[in-house]
Amino acid sequence: DGGITQSPKYLFRKEGQNVTLSCEQNLNHDAMYWYRQDPGQGLRLIYYSQIVNDFQKGDIAEGYSVSREKKESFPLTVTSAQKNPTAFYLCASSIETAYSNQPQHFGDGTRLSIL
Amino acid sequence: AQTVTQSQPEMSVQEAETVTLSCTYDTSESDYYLFWYKQPPSRQMILVIRQEAYKQQNATENRFSVNFQKAAKSFSLKISDSQLGDAAMYFCAYRSLTEYGNKLVFGAGTILRVKS
């Protein structure tokens, strides 16, 4: 079945440590996105990528980094510069065409906590 | 920049009854898409319904329908014959057709509780 796979489901970070969240999709979508979800708030965009080897900062990119070396993969690294990383992280993908009404498809998320 | 506001942090509905969730948005654009997503306790985001701004007809998907008022910038979701499985967080989202990236702007969400 086509879909988006995020791993791990739960992740713990020590102080000063970088951690990487995985996101893989087999939907043949060009565009991929990373969102952060905090309690009582909606999803906020961290980074997005419309094509391979290109990505753009979203609204809350500070303390995060991404890469897009393959169409299927869009890993997110939470660096030690992100002082409040505890949150639920969602990866999504979509058809790239601007005038398509096709929605973003989401993975099951990764919950990141500080040890 | 566009903003999306969901003014109801929580709503409750009796099973088999009808409930309406509110969403308003702010934009200077004339063409865009609007979506409602459902997030059950499993945390997976599930598309409920979508609306193209150029369409005057309100979208309908089985028990789910929207009341799209473009001039008022309002996009409410009506759930008819509510079921226990409808209990979830509901997010309204806006997508620009002019900004690069097909990004979604989300509201803060409304928790819907369904009473049996």
Side-chain angles (χ1 to χ4, degrees), chain B residues 17-82:
Chain B
E17 298 288 305
T18 295
V19 64
T20 298
L21 307 184
S22 300
C23 173
T24 59
Y25 55 94
D26 186 26
T27 184
S28 58
E29 299 175 337
S30 59
D31 210 4
Y32 45 86
Y33 295 130
L34 296 165
F35 302 87
W36 277 99
Y37 279 90
K38 168 185 176 181
Q39 187 180 44
S42 65
R43 305 300 295 269
Q44 186 180 24
M45 294 286 283
I46 302 166
L47 177 71
V48 175
I49 200 165
R50 78 193 82 175
Q51 175 80 42
E52 293 89 343
Y54 65 85
K55 290 186 177 179
Q56 292 186 343
Q57 186 173 9
N58 289 324
T60 300
E61 288 287 344
N62 300 314
R63 297 183 295 107
F64 299 88
S65 62
V66 298
N67 183 6
F68 174 49
Q69 301 290 327
K70 191 172 183 180
K73 297 178 184 174
S74 172
F75 183 58
S76 60
L77 175 69
K78 186 172 83 171
I79 306 174
S80 304
D81 186 25
S82 297

Side-chain angles (χ1 to χ4, degrees), chain A residues 43 52 90 98:
Chain A
L43 281 65
V52 175
L90 282 160

Side-chain angles (χ1 to χ4, degrees), chain A residues 20-42:
Chain A
T20 297
L21 285 61
S22 171
C23 178
E24 304 276 334
Q25 56 99 358
N26 60 5
L27 298 167
N28 199 33
H29 285 168
D30 290 299
M32 297 187 74
Y33 311 82
W34 273 106
Y35 294 93
R36 171 180 170 138
Q37 185 177 19
D38 293 284
Q41 298 190 40

